[in-house]
Amino acid sequence: RAECFSTASCAWSVGQWSACSNSCGAGMQQRTVECPSGKPFDCLFAQPACNQSCYGTSGCAWLSTDWGTCDSHCGQGWSSRVVRCSSGIADDCALSLADKPQERRLCTATNGCAWDL
């Protein structure tokens, strides 16, 4: 006696996508994709993707260097620093964080001042 079963209604069972593997920049997502019979050739149509690329921004952070020296030797001038997003793309930080930190600020230098008597 031979076993008989129909696979005409077998359809792929697809799980939810996982969180992105990278919280700041390019990453991957995974999900389970199974044929209920346990035999992929029983399911109709092509197997859906179980991996896809993703792009996270929730873990991005502004990174900054130390403030540079004042560009004036005597009196008011400017000090600067480099501020960048941890992903290397400023828009990634702008989407999920507060305003970009300052890159320039006023400073006062006195080391080059001379007193005239």
Side-chain angles (χ1 to χ4, degrees):
R1 194 172 154 191
E3 264 185 50
C4 181
F5 64 94
S6 172
T7 59
S9 63
C10 279
W12 292 101
S13 173
V14 178
Q16 296 292 314
W17 287 111
S18 67
C20 192
S21 63
N22 191 349
S23 63
C24 184
M28 291 297 292
Q29 287 179 297
Q30 297 176 329
R31 66 179 177 181
T32 58
V33 176
E34 299 174 332
C35 186
S37 72
K39 301 174 187 169
F41 53 84
D42 284 345
C43 282
L44 301 175
F45 308 110
Q47 181 176 350
C50 57
N51 295 306
Q52 73 177 4
S53 60
C54 56
Y55 200 90
T57 59
S58 64
C60 293
W62 291 113
L63 305 174
S64 58
T65 61
D66 293 334
W67 287 104
T69 57
C70 194
D71 65 1
S72 172
H73 296 289
C74 182
Q76 226 173 26
W78 290 97
S79 178
S80 60
R81 64 181 178 177
V82 175
V83 177
R84 67 176 186 84
C85 184
S86 56
S87 71
I89 300 170
D91 284 347
D92 291 348
C93 283
L95 292 173
S96 57
L97 297 173
D99 294 337
K100 182 178 180 180
Q102 283 184 308
E103 293 182 277
R104 289 183 58 176
R105 69 178 178 184
L106 283 173
C107 57
T108 303
T110 57
N111 58 332
C113 296
W115 297 101
D116 288 333
L117 300 174

